[in-house]
Amino acid sequence: MSSLTPESSPELAKKSWFGNFINLDKEEQIFVVIRDKPLSSIKADIVHAFLSIPSLSHSVVSQTSFRAEYKSSGGPSVFQKPVKFQVDISYSEGGEAHKDSGIYSVTFTLISGPSRRFKRVVETIQAQLLSTHDQPSVQALAGSSMALLCPSCM
């Protein structure tokens, strides 16, 4: 008889007392769409948002990718699992010649840590990104593994 684990049997995880603590979603992503803004401004806004959040450290992975880690400063650190996530900026639309006026997608991907805290940290960063742009040119979507649609494409 094979042993059942929450990974091999999602139904078991749902019925398990520990089911609430087991994350069945393998990849959690949040997308932010930014229009008519040069890549350099988007990167500067993201770094500024990182620096304005206490207990958040970041590193540059590439010209369009960052890794960040948020350690909660409240409560006993023994019970506070840090949130690690990656931020990727990708060019979505408008020819290569018009990269300053195209559409960029900023993807926040949870690497490890509590999903709820990840969403709160990204909401804070998102709010700062939204406040630095004209409201119609930025769209934010939050949730697990969501599909993006641009308003002009619908």
Side-chain angles (χ1 to χ4, degrees):
M1 180 178 174
S2 65
S3 63
L4 291 176
T5 64
E7 290 79 25
S8 68
S9 174
E11 295 79 24
L12 180 66
K14 289 177 186 172
K15 293 176 185 175
S16 165
W17 185 83
F18 292 104
N20 293 335
F21 301 110
I22 298 171
N23 188 3
L24 297 175
D25 293 333
K26 296 298 179 203
E27 190 172 84
E28 180 105 20
Q29 292 185 320
I30 298 174
F31 300 90
V32 178
V33 177
I34 301 175
R35 294 181 190 214
D36 303 327
K37 200 77 171 161
L39 178 61
S40 58
S41 293
I42 295 169
K43 291 193 302 189
D45 292 343
I46 290 170
V47 170
H48 184 265
F50 287 160
L51 295 173
S52 68
I53 298 173
S55 304
L56 189 137
S57 60
H58 75 281
S59 61
V60 178
V61 176
S62 72
Q63 287 195 340
T64 57
S65 294
F66 302 92
R67 284 264 170 116
E69 181 175 343
Y70 175 75
K71 294 181 180 177
S72 182
S73 55
S77 61
V78 175
F79 300 112
Q80 300 291 332
K81 188 174 180 188
V83 175
K84 294 180 183 180
F85 59 96
Q86 181 152 333
V87 181
D88 296 299
I89 306 167
S90 58
Y91 190 68
S92 299
E93 196 176 294
E96 286 293 317
H98 303 313
K99 273 203 164 182
D100 283 349
S101 60
I103 298 172
Y104 286 91
S105 174
V106 180
T107 306
F108 297 86
T109 305
L110 176 63
I111 296 171
S112 67
S115 175
R116 204 178 278 173
R117 191 170 301 132
F118 165 68
K119 288 177 182 175
R120 279 191 301 231
V121 170
V122 172
E123 282 173 7
T124 303
I125 295 168
Q126 209 173 286
Q128 292 186 21
L129 286 174
L130 288 169
S131 68
T132 60
H133 300 292
D134 296 330
Q135 289 299 333
S137 67
V138 177
Q139 298 218 333
L141 301 170
S144 257
S145 303
M146 303 174 335
L148 272 184
L149 297 174
C150 65
S152 61
C153 302
M154 293 201 269

